[in-house]
Structure formats: structure tokens, C-alpha cells
């Protein structure tokens, strides 16, 4: 029942590791800690009362990966590892093509090689894709058959990996691949012991709001209030990371059971504006979140939310947590760990 989680010490991977263990799987965390902290492993052990197996290394190292797969013989792999900062990807496109696309190629080749020698290691993969592959959607809610496009190298890398997986499944029907397009993951584990720990100034809304509420930043810049949305600010489908973690468990169960590959949205099907998030966070934290209206951020879309019906139909999964719960859990993590894992 071993499942290998590349990038398993990261934000979404760490929550998924717990959900997998709670569902009876044996997660093995693989990470090079490029964007995470080894203390995560202690927190995971503390939450579940049992240590987690760790393989520290780089997914770009194919021979090493083969060794990891041969040692653990996982029945499935979840591929979280990669870089994810949109702005950085515009400045450093090769970093993104190398680590994201190169990392995926390395993993797929290692899985292919090991599966050819060892029938216990079936090539079963869950891949972390993103709503970013929908570019600027013509309408909402977004279904999986919407046209895909990219507006930055990060999004481009996700698109290329999706296409690689489609080609691989067509050529080699033994592969079982679940592609999960996450909308906007937020929140933290209810223990308050693990959560999102962005390096430097957060690019994304919820961690920025949390740092304003805890007093680390003076105010939030609201990027535009003249969008064609109810209050003029951008609308997104925020999804609790715990719901996302449950989505990975459901995806693995579907792949290991029915065995057909799929691509699904993981979102709530509801949109919330920037000001909705500010209000909900103030309510959850009991702290003010001062904000100023700033110009629109380049590349932002007015609104983006999922039609999550296919995930319900194929995986029996749906998001359960409300925006208030997302804010309450994000606040518990932020206030207990004002400097993240360095607190
Ligand atoms: P994260 O940065 O917290 O986690 C990624 C982990 O991968 C980190 O622990 C990092 O150290 C590790 N890693 C990076 N490169 C590696 C390499 N070459 N070898 C081994 N480990 C490596 O990010 P996250 O938010 O948990 O995102 C996980 C995945 O989900 C990413 O692929 C990301 O693109 C995707 N995604 C995230 C979001 C989001 O908003 N968080 C939205 C959509 C999709
Ligand atoms: C971002 C990424 C996207 C990724 C998604 C996943 C960018 C441009 N896009 O999308 O590729 O798939 O995260 O979570 O980074 N906002 C503010 N002030 C801030 C920060 C954000 O007003 O300081 C607004 C934004 O304009 C947007 C909303 O908050 O309307 C959400 O922004 P953010 O959290 O960055 O997510 P996305 O832009 O949806």
C-alpha cells in the first residue's frame, strides 16, 4: 500500500501525506526541500503519532529515483514536486522548464523502467496540474473540456506535462494517470501544525492576508476593483487544502480500482471575491485586515471557478469546507507559526 509522494514535504503534499495515512496507505515522502523545511517531517509524525519515511533527493536524478522505486515498490506515485511561482517563471523560464518538465520526464522514465522489471510497481500516477491551464476562460464555471492555453512559463510547463501524459497513456495503455487541476488551494491542517509557508513576500492572496492580520505587513493591496464582478474585485474558487488532500486519496482509489485515466477539476464550484476573503479573514481572526485599492495585476483574470461535477461523478469526491473554515484554519496556522516553519 505504499504511495510515493514527490514534493511530499510541500504545502499540498504534506496534507495529502496525512490523508493517505488516515485512509490506510503508507506514504513515502520524497523531497529535496528546495521549497520546504525538514521540520515538516517532525510535524507530520506528531500529528499522526508515527514517523513518515523520507527519501531526500531530487526528481531530476533519474538513476536515484529508480533506486527509490525499486526499494519501496509503491503501488502509486503522486507527483507534486515542481516550482510554482508565476512571476519567477517569467523571469527564469528555464528554471521552470527544467525542474517541472524535466522533473516529470525523469519520474516517468524511472517509473517506466522499474515497472518493466517489477510487475508489482504498476505505473500509476496522480499529477498536480492547475486551473492555470484554462488561461483566461471565456465563461464560468469551467469544465474540463474548456480550451487550454498559457500566459506564463509556469502555466506552459503544466500544459506540456499534461500533453506528455496524454501521449504516454495513448502509447502505453498500462499507464493509469489521474490529472488533477487544482483551483486556489488555501487553509491549513486543523492542528495548526502544518500549512503554507511561502518564502519572502507572498504572491497569493490568502497568505498575504494572513500576514497582514498577524501584523507582519501593513496592508493588503487589492489588485483592481473595476472588474466585471459583483464588487469589482477578482473572483476565485478557493478550496481548503484538506479537501484537496481528500481529492488525492479519491483519485488514487479510482485509479487503483477502476483503472481508467482521467483529468478532473478540484474546486468547490463557488467563487469568492478578494473583499469576501478579507471580510471572512477578519471574522475568523478577530483582527482588522486594512487594504488599499491598487492597479490590476498583469495577467489576472476577472473570475475563475470550477464546475466540479466530473470529480463527483468519477471519484465520488466533493469539497466540503466553507470559506470561513479555510480562513479559521489558515489563521490557526499563521498565528501559531508567524514565521512559518522557522518560527
Ligand atoms: P510547494 O512548493 O509547497 O511543494 C512542492 C515541493 O516540491 C516542495 O517541498 C519542494 O521542496 C519540492 N521540490 C521542488 N522541486 C523538486 C525536485 N526537483 N526534487 C524534489 N523535490 C522538489 O508547492 P505546493 O503548493 O504544495 O504545490 C504542489 C504542486 O501543486 C506543484 O506542482 C504546483 O505547481 C501544483 N499546484 C499548486 C497550486 C497552489 O496554489 N499551491 C495550485 C495549482 C497547482
Ligand atoms: C495564482 C496563479 C495561478 C495559480 C493559482 C493557484 C498568478 C498570476 N497566478 O492564481 O497560476 O494556478 O494562483 O493558487 O500568480 N490578489 C490581491 N492582492 C494580493 C494577491 C492577490 O488583490 O496581494 C487578488 C488577485 O488579483 C486575484 C485574487 O486575489 O483576484 C487571487 O490571487 P492569487 O491568490 O494570486 O491566485 P490567482 O491569481 O487566482
Amino acid at each position: 500500500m505504499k504511495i510515493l509522494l514527490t514534493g511530499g514535504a510541500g504545502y499540498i503534499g504534506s496534507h495529502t501525506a496525512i490523508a493517505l495515512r488516515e485512509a490506510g496507505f503508507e506514504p513515502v515522502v520524497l523531497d529535496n526541500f528546495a521549497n520546504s523545511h525538514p521540520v515538516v517531517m517532525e510535524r507530520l509524525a506528531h500529528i499522526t503519532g508515527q514517523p513518515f519515511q523520507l527519501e531526500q533527493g531530487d526528481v531530476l536524478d533519474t538513476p536515484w529515483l529508480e533506486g527509490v522505486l525499486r526499494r519501496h515498490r509503491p503501488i502509486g506515485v503522486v507527483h507534486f514536486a515542481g516550482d510554482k511561482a508565476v512571476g519567477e517563471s517569467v523571469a527564469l523560464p528555464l528554471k521552470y522548464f527544467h525542474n517541472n518538465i524535466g522533473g516529470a520526464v525523469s519520474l516517468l522514465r524511472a517509473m517506466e523502467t522499474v515497472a518493466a522489471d517489477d510487475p508489482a510497481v504498476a505505473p500509476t500516477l496522480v499529477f498536480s496540474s492547475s486551473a492555470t491551464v484554462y488561461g483566461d476562460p471565456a465563461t464560468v464555471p469551467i469544465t474540463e473540456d474548456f480550451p487550454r492555453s498559457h500566459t506564463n512559463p509556469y502555466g506552459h510547463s503544466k500544459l506540456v506535462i499534461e500533453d506528455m501524459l496524454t501521449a504516454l497513456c495513448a502509447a502505453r495503455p498500462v499507464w493509469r494517470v489521474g490529472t488533477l487541476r487544482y483551483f486556489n488551494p488555501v487553509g491549513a491542517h486543523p492542528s495548526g501544525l502544518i500549512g503554507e509557508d511561502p518564502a519572502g513576500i507572498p504572491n497569493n492572496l490568502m497568505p498575504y492576508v494572513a500576514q497582514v492580520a498577524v501584523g507582519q505587513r501593513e496592508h493588503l493591496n487589492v489588485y483592481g476593483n473595476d472588474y466585471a464582478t459583483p464588487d469589482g474585485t477578482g473572483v476565485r474558487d478557493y478550496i481548503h487544502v484538506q479537501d484537496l488532500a481528500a481529492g488525492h486519496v479519491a483519485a488514487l482509489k479510482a485509479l487503483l480500482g477502476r483503472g481508467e485515466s482521467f483529468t478532473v477539476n478540484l474546486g468547490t464550484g463557488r467563487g469568492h471575491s478578494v473583499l469576501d476573503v478579507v471580510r471572512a479573514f477578519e471574522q475568523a481572526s478577530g483582527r482588522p485586515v486594512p487594504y488599499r485599492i491598487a492597479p490590476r495585476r498583469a495577467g489576472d483574470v476577472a473570475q475563475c471557478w470550477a464546475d466540479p461535477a466530473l470529480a463527483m461523478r468519477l471519484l465520488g469526491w466533493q469539497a466540503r469546507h466553507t470559506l470561513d473554515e479555510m480562513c479559521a484554519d489558515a489563521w490557526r496556522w499563521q498565528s501559531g507559526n508567524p514565521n512559518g516553519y522557522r518560527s
Side-chain angles (χ1 to χ4, degrees):
M1 293 292 272
K2 277 192 182 179
I3 305 288
L4 184 69
L5 308 184
T6 75
Y11 173 45
I12 303 168
S14 56
H15 290 79
T16 303
I18 293 176
L20 283 168
R21 176 166 280 174
E22 285 170 349
F25 291 97
E26 200 183 326
V28 177
V29 170
L30 182 157
D31 210 295
N32 65 357
F33 298 115
N35 195 39
S36 51
H37 201 286
V39 80
V40 170
M41 301 308 299
E42 292 164 28
R43 303 278 176 101
L44 291 178
H46 185 85
I47 290 168
T48 61
Q50 229 187 315
F52 280 72
Q53 297 181 76
L54 170 68
E55 290 286 353
Q56 185 171 349
D58 199 310
V59 289
L60 289 163
D61 185 346
T62 316
W64 173 75
L65 262 184
E66 283 177 20
V68 168
L69 291 166
R70 288 190 203 285
R71 249 192 330 278
H72 290 284
R73 308 176 81 199
I75 58 171
V77 177
V78 187
H79 184 43
F80 296 105
D83 292 320
K84 61 167 183 177
V86 171
E88 185 190 52
S89 81
V90 175
L92 301 173
L94 292 181
K95 180 180 185 209
Y96 280 69
F97 294 134
H98 184 56
N99 200 34
N100 292 4
I101 300 176
V105 171
S106 173
L107 174 66
L108 298 174
R109 292 188 72 190
M111 288 174 69
E112 179 97 322
T113 304
V114 175
D117 301 343
D118 183 351
V121 186
T124 300
L125 179 80
V126 173
F127 171 61
S128 299
S129 190
S130 166
T132 193
V133 300
Y134 296 117
D136 189 352
T139 56
V140 278
I142 299 168
T143 51
E144 289 79 357
D145 55 0
F146 269 38
R148 297 174 316 146
S149 64
H150 58 83
T151 52
N152 54 69
Y154 166 70
H156 198 170
S157 74
K158 292 291 177 191
L159 219 79
V160 170
I161 298 167
E162 284 199 357
D163 289 343
M164 262 168 26
L165 293 170
T166 304
L168 181 60
C169 289
R172 304 267 294 110
V174 65
W175 276 83
R176 295 177 289 188
V177 176
T179 297
L180 306 180
R181 293 179 180 155
Y182 313 152
F183 278 65
N184 290 57
V186 296
H189 190 268
S191 64
L193 290 174
I194 58 170
E196 190 172 11
D197 182 19
I201 301 170
N203 299 310
N204 298 117
L205 178 65
M206 186 72 89
Y208 202 105
V209 167
Q211 292 192 4
V212 173
V214 86
Q216 280 182 348
R217 305 198 182 272
E218 219 172 88
H219 67 272
L220 169 74
N221 288 309
V222 175
Y223 297 139
N225 67 347
D226 56 354
Y227 285 107
T229 61
D231 66 17
T233 67
V235 170
R236 297 289 185 275
D237 188 337
Y238 298 97
I239 175 166
H240 200 301
V241 65
Q242 290 286 92
D243 279 329
L244 215 51
H248 291 76
V249 175
L252 277 165
K253 284 184 174 168
L255 289 174
L256 295 168
R258 205 178 46 249
E260 275 165 34
S261 297
F262 54 81
T263 296
V264 295
N265 290 336
L266 292 187
T268 65
R270 287 201 59 189
H272 291 288
S273 74
V274 176
L275 296 183
D276 288 339
V277 172
V278 167
R279 276 189 295 269
F281 211 95
E282 288 184 326
Q283 184 74 29
S285 63
R287 301 277 185 95
V289 177
Y291 66 84
R292 290 186 196 157
I293 304 301
R296 290 181 178 194
R297 182 172 66 178
D300 269 355
V301 303
Q303 41 189 7
C304 173
W305 70 86
D307 180 338
L310 188 63
M312 180 64 196
R313 205 159 64 242
L314 294 183
L315 314 182
W317 170 92
Q318 65 181 351
R320 301 189 180 283
H321 294 287
T322 62
L323 181 62
D324 290 343
E325 292 168 318
M326 300 176 211
C327 292
D329 288 332
W331 175 243
R332 192 175 301 107
W333 156 250
Q334 181 69 50
S335 54
N337 307 266
N339 296 309
Y341 291 112
R342 288 162 300 279
S343 293

